[in-house]
């Protein structure tokens, strides 16, 4: 291994450690979020509410677009990520209602 490759590996190491830590935070945060949405799904089922709430989804998209801009994150990426999560939540809510 050349000195340049060794140096690059040394520089990469703390970045990768940070990425690993952030991935852990993301997983635990998503788990907490899904636990909360499961409770929402049960409430919706008990009260015969629809699994999806388009007004709430639109509000969340606007809110997260703003947060993404503040965080210097591509708002389109944030919207796609939220859409993915929302679709999964709706699927969970539909299963609860059966």
């Amino acid at each position: 291994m050349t000195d340049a490759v060794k140096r690059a590996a040394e520089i990469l190491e703390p970045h990768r450690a940070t990425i690993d830590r952030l991935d852990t935070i993301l997983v635990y945060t998503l788990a907490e979020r899904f636990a909360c949405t499961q409770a929402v799904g049960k409430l919706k089922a008990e009260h015969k509410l629809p699994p999806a709430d388009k007004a709430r989804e639109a509000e969340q998209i606007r809110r997260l677009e703003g947060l993404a801009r503040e965080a210097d994150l591509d708002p389109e990426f944030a919207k796609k990520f939220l859409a993915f999560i929302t679709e999964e939540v709706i699927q969970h809510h539909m299963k609860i209602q059966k």
Side-chain angles (χ1 to χ4, degrees):
M1 189 181 293
T2 67
D3 287 342
V5 171
K6 285 180 187 176
R7 181 67 185 131
E10 290 172 2
I11 293 169
L12 282 172
E13 190 176 324
H15 292 294
R16 287 181 172 161
T18 298
I19 290 167
D20 292 349
R21 181 180 57 80
L22 292 169
D23 286 345
T24 300
I25 291 168
L26 283 171
V27 167
Y28 278 89
T29 300
L30 284 170
E32 184 176 347
R33 189 185 195 286
F34 276 97
C36 186
T37 60
Q38 286 294 95
V40 168
K42 289 176 185 172
L43 272 169
K44 285 182 173 185
E46 288 171 13
H47 297 280
K48 308 283 191 254
L49 297 172
D53 181 341
K54 295 298 180 189
R56 167 80 174 150
E57 290 172 34
E59 180 184 312
Q60 283 296 90
I61 288 170
R62 283 191 302 276
R63 189 176 77 80
L64 289 182
E65 281 179 317
L67 288 172
R69 282 188 200 83
E70 288 174 18
D72 198 26
L73 179 69
D74 179 4
E76 285 303 311
F77 171 76
K79 281 173 46 175
K80 288 177 190 174
F81 186 69
L82 179 63
F84 175 77
I85 290 171
T86 301
E87 184 57 37
E88 190 67 22
V89 167
I90 291 168
Q91 293 302 314
H92 289 185
H93 289 185
M94 290 169 67
K95 287 179 186 175
I96 291 169
Q97 289 190 350
K98 290 183 179 180

